[in-house]
Structures are given as structure tokens and as C-alpha cells.
Amino acid sequence: MTTLAGREVVLGVTGGIAAYKACEIIRELRKEGANVSVILTASGSQFITPLTLQTLSKNPVHTDLFNLISESDIGHISLAQRANLLLIAPATANIIGKIRHGIADDLLSTVAMATTAPILMAPAMNSDMYAAAAVRENMEALVERGVTFVEPGEGALACGTTGPGRLADTGKIIEMARILLYDKILEGKKVVVSAGPTAEDIDPVRFITNRASGKMGFAMAVVARRFGAEVTLVTGPTRLPDPPFLKVERVRSAQEMGNAVAAAGENANAIVMAAAVADVRPAAPAARKIPKNELMEKIDVVRTDDILANLGELKRNRVLVGFAAETNDLEAKAREKMRKKNLDAIVANDVSRGDIGFDSDRNEVKVLFSDGTTLDLVKASKDAIATAVWRAITVKFMRA
Ligand code: CTP
């Protein structure tokens, strides 16, 4: 279950070439269970038809401020009240200016004025328009009033120029919608999450690493952000792109990860070590490639520092969460790690199964808490697992 499920999203589509991307936005919102009602402005309807938006949203598309049928039934006030979120994508310079100045001369600008729901705007326009003082000032004023913007991306624009102005990626817009709609159970909290494997260099071409993909740690970071936390994600080498709206620090070795986590975690409320830190590293990485016939004698390995155990020794009031990847005796081994490292909770998963864990998008875990309780989470997406784990941690250890 995601928190977009069952939520009412009113999607305003204004007149720009990016209006066709509203189709993808509707599809993604509906995929997560949101109910989408579209308001199409007059200029928006020059770029995309009401029929397309209606077919995809499975709801009537609203276009007129004074429509006799919808006014008796739904009406602009009702649309404004029903919304859990008003998303305007694409948002033109015109709609940004109108909402900033309190002009309510069509259905969308009227609903924007009447709603108490959060407003999220994804601007799309020519780069010079986007840089224009009027647009900048209008956006700044709206941010002051609590409106959220997902900034446009850079790239080739339909007008033939290149620069900022392209509608942000759908994934980024939907992620901000989630951030706005999730309960703010971690508001005001600072969270550090580690993810991925570490890589311990043997020489310039070889290194010791493991199979961790980083997906579970990334999910823990992204979900903490949705719950309102200020998040730093410290990740070892992974193929995953930086998640939007949080701070990402890329590191390579266990030592770099230890330093980054310690620095970011200094005044954190919670530290989650989801990384699969290499247990050993070459004592001294060679500056030059080691010839293969010398490898056996030249690789002298030593243990890496245990980042989590070190944090556990200086625990203070930080909530510490570990991950345990096991192939056998899951619960007993995980409980022992929690005790030894002085943790509040440990998330244990069975890595002997091919259908979950490493590199999979799904996981099935058992969460053990220091108070002796456990929580079994059935197989679900790593996002859903991360959501349940954070809810449990928050309820047990982080309530204000
Ligand atoms: N961890 C750490 N620093 C290390 C090794 C592990 O912080 N050098 C953290 C991991 O991020 C994870 C937890 O400790 O949260 C895992 O505990 P660990 O005892 O290392 O698990 P395994 O590597 O599975 O241990 P073992 O091989 O002994 O089963």
C-alpha cells in the first residue's frame, strides 16, 4: 500500500507542448491507486484533447468555470475541497503569474485559489522565459506561500533552444507528490542511510566487493524523505541513479563510508546501515597492477572497521538500525548481531533465496527490535518494506 492509494489528485494541465506528458503522469498516479480529476485550461486544450485525458483518468475532464451540469453536481469549490493535492503539470509562466497575483478567471486558477490542499507545480517553458524576472519573482512569492515546485530539467526544447525549461521527469514529479502526501512522521528528524556494497582496491584494476545492489538502502533513504526527514544517503558503488530531493554522498571503500557516515551522523536522530560493507580489505592497495603470478603472495587482507559496531559504542540518543543478510539461523544470528553492536533494531533477510534480496526489487524480511518484539513483513516491493520498517521504528523509538 502506498499513500497515493485512495488519494484525490486534481491535475491541472495548461498550454504548453509538454501537455502530452500529462498522459504519463495520469497513468503513474492511477497505477498507485490515486483518483485523478483533470482540469484542462483553454490553451491546454490546444495541445491535448479532453477525450485523451478523460480516457486515461477514467473521470470527466473539467474545462469550464461555469458549466451547468458540473456546476450543479461538482463545481469548482467541490473540486477544490475534494483535492488532497493540486498538481499543475505542465505549468506555464501564465498560470504561475495568475496564481501568484490572485487572478481567478478560469476553472484552474479558481480552484488553485479555493483549495487548502498542497499545490505542486511543474513548470515547462522556454529557457529565457523561465529565467525572466517576472517568472522568478512569481515563483519565489509562491514558494513563500507554501507552493512546491519541481524544477524543470535541462535539454533540447521544442522551441529549438537548449537549456532549463523541459518538464521534469514524470518519476521526479510523482516522487514529490508522494513526499507531499505521506504523513510527516519524521518531520524535523535527521536521518543517515548507507547503501550498496563497498569496493576495496587491491590494485588499480582489481578490488574486493560483493553482490549488494543498493536497492534496499536507497528505498530506506527515499521513504525517510517521504516521511519528512532530512536525509543523507551514503552509498558505495551502485548502478542506481541519485534519488531526487535528498543529499547523496558517493563513496568507494569501507573506510570512506565510515568517515562519511560518522560525519553526517554526528547530530542525526537515526542511522540505518543497509550497506553490505566488505568485511576485509587489502592491507595496502598496490599503486601498480600486480602481475597475476604475484597475486597470491601480494594480497594481504585485514578486517575493515565495523562502522555500525563503532557507532554502537558511542550510541548516545541516536537510533541505530542494522541489516543482516543470512543464509541460515536467520533470527538467532540477527539477534546476536543486534546485541553485539548495541542496535535498536535489525532487519534480517534470507539471502539464500533467489526471489528476494540481492538485486531484486522485492524483499521479505523479519525486523527484530531491542525490546524483544519482532515484525514479519511478507514479500513486497523494497519501497513497501522500507515504509513498514520506518513506521515501526518511528512508533517505537522516534515519537516526539
Ligand atoms: N557493518 C558495518 N561495518 C562493517 C560490516 C558490517 O557497519 N565493516 C554493518 C552492515 O551495514 C549491517 C550489519 O553491520 O548493517 C551487518 O552485520 P555483520 O555482522 O557485518 O553481518 P555479516 O557481514 O553478514 O556478518 P557475518 O559475515 O559475520 O555473518
Side-chain angles (χ1 to χ4, degrees):
M1 254 251 309
T2 69
T3 48
L4 287 183
R7 309 308 284 273
E8 290 285 334
V9 178
V10 173
L11 174 66
V13 180
T14 66
I17 190 67
Y20 75 94
K21 293 187 183 162
C23 298
E24 201 177 83
I25 295 172
I26 296 169
R27 278 231 304 270
E28 289 301 312
L29 288 169
R30 283 189 45 83
K31 211 159 80 185
E32 294 203 21
N35 185 44
V36 185
S37 302
V38 178
I39 301 176
L40 181 62
T41 64
S43 42
S45 67
Q46 300 290 315
F47 291 90
I48 189 160
T49 71
L51 185 61
T52 306
L53 299 170
Q54 183 156 311
T55 308
L56 290 171
S57 68
K58 309 242 184 311
N59 276 319
V61 169
H62 308 273
T63 48
D64 297 339
L65 180 53
F66 300 109
N67 178 307
L68 286 179
I69 298 169
S70 65
E71 206 47 31
S72 63
D73 178 19
I74 310 166
H76 59 272
I77 297 298
S78 153
L79 260 179
Q81 284 173 346
R82 202 161 49 142
N84 295 121
L85 175 72
L86 172 60
L87 166 60
I88 305 180
T92 54
N94 183 51
I95 192 74
I96 293 169
K98 282 207 292 193
I99 296 176
R100 188 263 161 112
H101 289 285
I103 296 167
D105 64 349
D106 65 2
L107 184 60
L108 182 56
S109 51
T110 308
V111 167
M113 193 177 289
T115 193
T116 54
I119 299 178
L120 172 59
M121 288 189 172
M125 65 194 77
N126 158 277
S127 319
D128 292 331
M129 278 178 87
Y130 189 62
V135 173
R136 308 309 313 169
E137 283 170 25
N138 289 338
M139 285 177 61
E140 277 164 30
L142 288 173
V143 167
E144 287 298 316
R145 278 188 223 155
V147 171
T148 305
F149 286 91
V150 178
E151 300 271 336
E154 296 217 8
L157 301 175
C159 53
T161 55
T162 305
R166 278 167 81 106
L167 185 71
D169 288 344
T170 301
K172 213 167 160 183
I173 296 171
I174 303 286
E175 183 59 25
M176 188 46 88
R178 292 191 195 99
I179 289 174
L180 292 174
L181 286 171
Y182 264 55
D183 323 327
K184 292 291 162 279
I185 56 175
L186 288 173
E187 184 95 77
K189 306 284 189 210
K190 275 183 82 168
V191 162
V192 178
V193 179
S194 72
T198 64
E200 312 301 329
D201 290 332
I202 297 169
D203 64 19
V205 296
R206 305 182 182 95
F207 52 90
I208 298 170
T209 190
N210 59 64
R211 286 182 57 197
S213 66
K215 286 179 181 169
M216 193 60 231
F218 274 52
M220 287 299 290
V222 164
V223 169
R225 176 68 186 88
R226 289 179 194 164
F227 281 138
E230 183 190 328
V231 180
T232 303
L233 169 64
V234 178
T235 177
T238 86
R239 282 174 283 123
L240 304 174
D242 285 7
F245 313 120
L246 49 87
K247 187 167 172 206
V248 182
E249 284 186 36
R250 297 221 173 233
V251 297
R252 187 166 168 80
S253 64
Q255 195 173 357
E256 285 171 15
M257 181 171 280
N259 292 342
V261 169
E266 187 50 41
N267 51 3
N269 300 94
I271 302 176
V272 176
M273 284 292 299
V277 184
D279 293 310
V280 294
R281 65 175 171 85
R288 295 200 186 157
K289 186 179 169 189
I290 305 171
K292 60 175 165 299
N293 52 4
E294 292 172 27
L295 270 175
M296 303 296 272
E297 71 222 49
K298 287 251 170 87
I299 307 177
D300 187 12
V301 294
V302 292
R303 290 288 300 271
T304 53
D305 284 344
D306 192 317
I307 303 169
L308 198 49
N310 289 346
L311 292 166
E313 276 177 30
L314 296 167
K315 188 164 180 314
R316 307 205 297 267
N317 54 356
R318 296 177 296 191
V319 174
L320 295 182
V321 181
F323 272 68
E326 308 294 351
T327 52
N328 56 295
D329 299 328
L330 184 90
E331 184 162 348
K333 286 192 163 175
R335 190 168 297 287
E336 180 54 17
K337 284 177 188 173
M338 174 164 61
R339 194 193 57 75
K340 260 175 55 190
K341 301 191 190 198
N342 196 19
L343 310 180
D344 298 282
I346 193 157
V347 182
N349 65 332
D350 182 350
V351 285
S352 67
R353 286 171 54 176
D355 60 329
I356 53 168
F358 288 138
D359 213 22
S360 164
D361 289 325
R362 297 167 80 71
N363 209 350
E364 182 177 314
V365 302
K366 190 182 215 33
V367 193
L368 287 76
F369 299 97
S370 51
D371 62 7
T373 58
T374 59
L375 173 67
D376 285 293
L377 297 174
V378 297
K379 192 168 159 185
S381 70
K382 287 185 171 171
D383 265 24
I385 297 282
T387 304
V389 170
W390 273 120
R391 282 197 198 281
I393 292 169
T394 309
V395 168
K396 279 185 183 287
F397 309 111
M398 297 178 74
R399 268 218 282 242

